Amino acid sequence: MKHLLTTKELSREEAELILDVTEQMAEAVTGREVPKLPALRGRTVVNLFFEDSTRTRTSFETAAKRLSADVVNFAAKTSSVNKGESLRDTALTLQAMGADAVVIRHPAAGAPQRLTEWIEGAVLNAGDGTHAHPTQALLDAYTMKKRLGGVEGRTVAIVGDILHSRVARSNVWLLSKLGAHVRLVGPPTLLPKDIDDWPVEIGYDLDASLKGVDAVMMLRVQRERQNAAFFPTANEYARLYGLDERRLALMPDHAIVMHPGPMNRGMEIAAAVADSPRATITEQVTNGVWVRMAVLYLLLTNGESK
Ligand code: CP
């Protein structure tokens, strides 16, 4: 594995290896006075973000620092991209500065793949358009493993704006590869049309789709990617597809509530549900650091030093 671009191209063995190393990273660092490992000392990780991010950017930065790498944060908004510099020239500049790994978030699907053609270091996709967000799916799978005891055989409902969601796409491929049953639930206007070959069930009725789930993953309604009216009003959306306390009670007692963040409280998820003990939202953020440590470590060392 040289790059991490999508979960679709990961084998089950590779995904399981990442989740096993994630566990090792969490165990190695948790409770240490200095929560650092020397594994990536002398390596440089560049965070190249062309889109806003709170969790993913800081999580990759924390992960790289915990592995003792040097970290360069590149924000497109304050760079020469604003003067017209291309992605290729930006990438070559970072390469000339000795980047061993580039973590890229870009609004265009396929931008991380293009980057692999121009630079020698590892490329890690931190979200490209509506295409893929592999480390989010890996941290979601790890969270299920920790909370539910595993992924194999579990039923996961992914709810809401599937059409615009790279998180949903990455989870569909990863969770199904790991043996989970995936249900996609949302209004017909927010379900992609070309999903006949996706390994999922489709539902339009959220109440019915919550029965028998082990996890429900609520997706943010991505207004910024919507160039048409996909539903009449925010209130109507919340009434039909929002997870509130009444709907939480329809789920089995052990079932967990996930959200990749950022959340629209009161729209896809009620505040009382987001703050309930059954929600794993902050745990997902914590687990994201372990997952990104595992991925950086595996890509940059081939698993050969720790
Ligand atoms: N979940 C996620 O990708 O969050 P950010 O956009 O804050 O990185």
Side-chain angles (χ1 to χ4, degrees), residues 155-159 181-185 209-210 213 215-218:
T155 297
V156 182
I158 305 179
V159 181
H181 308 293
V182 182
R183 289 180 188 160
L184 300 182
V185 189
S209 299
L210 292 175
V213 293
V216 61
M217 191 179 294
M218 303 308 297

Side-chain angles (χ1 to χ4, degrees), residues 38-73:
L40 298 188
R41 196 181 284 154
R43 309 296 185 95
T44 300
V45 175
V46 175
N47 280 325
L48 181 57
F49 276 62
F50 293 87
E51 249 189 19
D52 296 342
S53 169
T54 299
R55 281 147 287 269
T56 311
R57 197 196 63 71
T58 51
S59 178
F60 265 113
E61 180 174 356
T62 306
K65 285 181 172 168
R66 288 196 174 162
L67 290 168
S68 306
D70 296 319
V71 180
V72 176
N73 286 315

Side-chain angles (χ1 to χ4, degrees), residues 2-19:
K2 179 162 183 344
H3 308 290
L4 178 63
L5 303 180
T6 68
T7 53
K8 194 172 183 182
E9 70 194 17
L10 279 180
S11 67
R12 180 167 180 159
E13 290 69 32
E14 286 171 329
E16 285 175 344
L17 174 66
I18 293 170
L19 297 177

Side-chain angles (χ1 to χ4, degrees), residues 1 36 49 52 74 101 128 140 142 166 178 213 236 289:
M1 205 179 12
K36 273 192 158 206
F49 276 62
D52 296 342
F74 173 99
D128 59 332
D140 291 337
Y142 181 74
R166 53 197 177 205
L178 294 173
V213 293
E236 179 77 355
V289 175

